[in-house]
Amino acid sequence: MSALYMLPFDHRGSFQKMILGHKDPLSNAERETLIHYKGIIFDGFKIVVEKRGAEKMGILVDEEFGEEIHREAKRLGVRNALSIERSGQPEFDFEYDNWKDHLRHIQPYFAKALVRVVGGTENRIQNERLAELAHFCADEGYHFLLEPLIFPSDSDLKSVGGDKKRFDNELRPQRFAEAVAEFHSAGVHPDVWKIEGTDTKEAMDICSDAVFSGGKENTEIIILGRGESAEIVADWLRAGAESRGVTGFAVGRTIFADALKNLHDEKISEAEAKAEIARLFEHFIDVFEQARP
């Protein structure tokens, strides 16, 4: 199975707040600023593509601030993923009512959906929308990338004394497995699962076993960064690299956030920001490949 090293920068509301200090509404000048900053991230990514080739590389970027980036990525032979969920919603919904037209316009390699899952909650409408997306991708020839973020229920938090780190270590892998079983039952079968990392291989094996129980035989798993420190993300990659189906990662804010903040504060130049993004992206490739069998 090939590798997939993805740099995601499809953040919208959080990206606006990070760069501008506020969210919508945006002026035209502010919109151009965000497009420019996303271009800086992409330029850092391209430094690595020039060194290592495009075959294993991917990007995840939104349409609003990254339409031109999608076009260039396709010219470079990079696997481009388009985020189609409405930003910041507790329940998955499409960003646009005419989302199918937007997919056909961008023609991405992946259609990506982020969903938030809390154990024990009713997810029927969300799952129906995801199944519609999965079937559309299969019919139209797009690959489907699903990013399920697992949140603790009140009872989960109570059982671990309110400690979210304990939830991550003790309960989240099993809650992820339960969510996957529900997705599969609803007809949601992604080509790639973009999932939260674990501290141990044994915990990632629980996630991996769930993905391959009733899912696609050739599905892949990539580990996301969740904005954690570079040290924590590296530990997650090492822990997951040997699990079945784990082919790489999708790490974004851990790679670009500090560089963009320092650039915005005029502590570094654009060239230095691009170089730092490239350095961290390549660092995680090395970490994963050194840990992979």
Side-chain angles (χ1 to χ4, degrees):
M1 188 175 288
S2 182
L4 175 56
Y5 306 132
M6 180 172 282
L7 182 55
F9 49 110
D10 61 324
H11 314 78
R12 280 150 285 171
S14 62
F15 194 79
Q16 294 174 31
K17 194 169 183 179
M18 181 177 74
I19 301 300
L20 303 174
H22 69 90
K23 299 182 182 179
D24 294 322
L26 300 175
S27 68
N28 289 336
E30 288 172 331
R31 192 172 302 279
E32 290 302 315
T33 295
L34 296 175
I35 291 171
H36 180 69
Y37 271 80
K38 292 212 172 187
I40 290 169
I41 299 171
F42 187 54
D43 285 345
F45 170 83
K46 287 190 294 183
I47 293 171
V48 181
V49 171
E50 290 170 3
K51 289 177 64 177
R52 292 179 177 252
E55 180 183 2
K56 300 176 181 179
M57 305 301 177
I59 61 156
L60 167 57
V61 66
D62 56 288
E63 179 179 355
E64 182 177 6
F65 305 122
E67 184 171 353
E68 290 302 320
I69 291 172
H70 277 287
R71 293 196 179 98
E72 186 173 355
K74 291 171 71 173
R75 289 195 295 269
L76 292 172
V78 168
R79 283 175 280 180
N80 62 317
L82 175 67
S83 52
I84 62 162
E85 77 278 351
R86 187 166 294 162
S87 178
Q89 302 301 304
E91 182 177 67
F92 171 79
D93 199 1
F94 296 103
E95 182 169 11
Y96 303 104
D97 291 337
N98 59 337
W99 58 271
K100 295 178 182 178
D101 293 337
H102 284 264
L103 275 172
R104 289 172 176 142
H105 173 65
I106 298 294
Q107 292 284 308
Y109 188 90
F110 293 110
K112 168 261 183 179
L114 180 149
V115 296
R116 294 167 174 82
V117 181
V118 179
T121 58
E122 168 59 54
N123 298 307
R124 180 182 58 82
I125 294 175
Q126 177 165 274
N127 289 341
E128 287 175 355
R129 290 169 178 161
L130 292 171
E132 181 184 7
L133 171 60
H135 295 149
F136 178 79
C137 287
D139 291 343
E140 298 275 331
Y142 305 114
H143 296 77
F144 176 30
L145 190 157
L146 181 63
E147 178 181 357
L149 300 180
I150 308 301
F151 290 88
S153 65
D154 290 341
S155 61
D156 284 336
L157 270 183
K158 185 177 179 180
S159 71
V160 294
D163 188 336
K164 292 185 178 180
K165 181 64 176 176
R166 280 187 60 195
F167 170 77
D168 276 348
N169 291 334
E170 299 173 21
L171 296 178
R172 179 163 53 78
Q174 185 56 42
R175 294 293 178 266
F176 173 82
E178 293 163 1
V180 171
E182 185 178 333
F183 287 134
H184 286 166
S185 295
V188 180
H189 300 289
D191 298 288
V192 174
W193 295 82
K194 179 175 181 276
I195 74 173
E196 295 159 286
T198 61
D199 288 346
T200 67
K201 177 184 182 297
E202 292 73 20
M204 183 54 66
D205 284 342
I206 294 172
C207 301
S208 176
D209 289 346
V211 163
F212 286 97
S213 297
K216 293 183 177 180
E217 289 185 3
N218 60 343
T219 194
E220 300 179 45
I221 298 168
I222 55 177
I223 296 173
L224 57 82
R226 206 169 68 177
E228 298 285 358
S229 69
E231 292 76 18
I232 289 175
V233 171
D235 287 343
W236 284 355
L237 297 185
R238 294 185 188 102
E242 295 186 44
S243 291
R244 179 186 178 192
V246 178
T247 62
F249 60 81
V251 178
R253 287 171 295 168
T254 307
I255 291 174
F256 67 73
D258 284 347
L260 293 191
K261 288 175 184 175
N262 287 333
L263 174 62
H264 186 266
D265 294 339
E266 299 183 347
K267 295 179 179 178
I268 61 175
S269 67
E270 286 196 5
E272 289 170 324
K274 295 172 186 178
E276 178 62 8
I277 289 166
R279 183 191 69 79
L280 277 171
F281 184 51
E282 194 163 25
H283 165 69
F284 289 126
I285 294 174
D286 289 338
V287 167
F288 184 79
E289 292 190 340
Q290 290 165 13
R292 198 178 188 192

